[in-house]
Amino acid sequence: MAAADRDGAGAECTLGQWLARWPASKDALRPSTRQGYATHIRLYLIPQLGRILLHQLTSRDVNGLLATLASRPSPTGRRLSPATVVRIHATLRTALNAAVRARLIPVNPANGAELPHPRRPHPVIWTAGRTAR
């Protein structure tokens, strides 16, 4: 915790501050993963939860975020798919796991969140009739 305090991410660190600096500490990320994290952080996580102190974030806050994401339109005006909500949650959960490893918080409040169930695509057999259509 002392090392984290020297870096400015101690007990008074907000979730927004942690999320802003967390991706830079990840060396082995593919560019597409890094871009996905940045998008989730910028568009959804910081606007909704960024002001909350990291150690005060609760599972209720995380579940509220997920409910909001599932019910309201995104910044582009379309409703987010359940799969997108699950990916945003995965970004938050991964960032908070890093905060646990850095001993900034004792437990990850994103674990055990109530997630929507994305619909899985059903395979279709391409018969001659389907191919003709």
Side-chain angles (χ1 to χ4, degrees):
M1 188 72 142
D5 281 340
R6 282 194 302 273
D7 292 337
E12 297 305 313
C13 176
T14 66
L15 178 62
Q17 291 168 332
W18 175 252
L19 291 173
R21 61 191 301 260
W22 163 71
S25 69
K26 308 274 294 169
D27 294 333
L29 286 180
R30 292 186 315 195
S32 60
T33 303
R34 190 174 300 279
Q35 181 181 3
Y37 284 169
T39 300
H40 295 159
I41 289 168
R42 180 175 40 85
L43 293 180
Y44 307 108
L45 298 175
I46 288 179
Q48 294 289 325
L49 301 175
R51 292 183 304 262
I52 299 174
L53 290 175
L54 191 57
H55 71 278
Q56 291 180 344
L57 184 68
T58 65
S59 59
R60 178 178 285 184
D61 297 324
V62 173
N63 284 328
L65 165 73
L66 297 175
T68 299
L69 292 176
S71 65
R72 291 189 187 157
S74 72
T76 61
R78 296 187 346 214
R79 181 164 283 170
L80 294 176
S81 72
T84 301
V85 174
V86 168
R87 284 191 296 273
I88 293 167
H89 172 261
T91 299
L92 178 62
R93 188 184 68 241
T94 303
L96 292 175
N97 279 337
V100 170
R101 283 190 302 277
R103 298 182 185 206
L104 297 176
I105 54 176
V107 295
N108 185 341
N111 288 342
E114 299 169 14
L115 294 170
H117 298 286
R119 288 190 327 213
R120 295 183 182 264
H122 295 284
V124 176
I125 298 173
W126 288 94
T127 62
R130 282 198 177 120
T131 305
R133 279 189 270 155

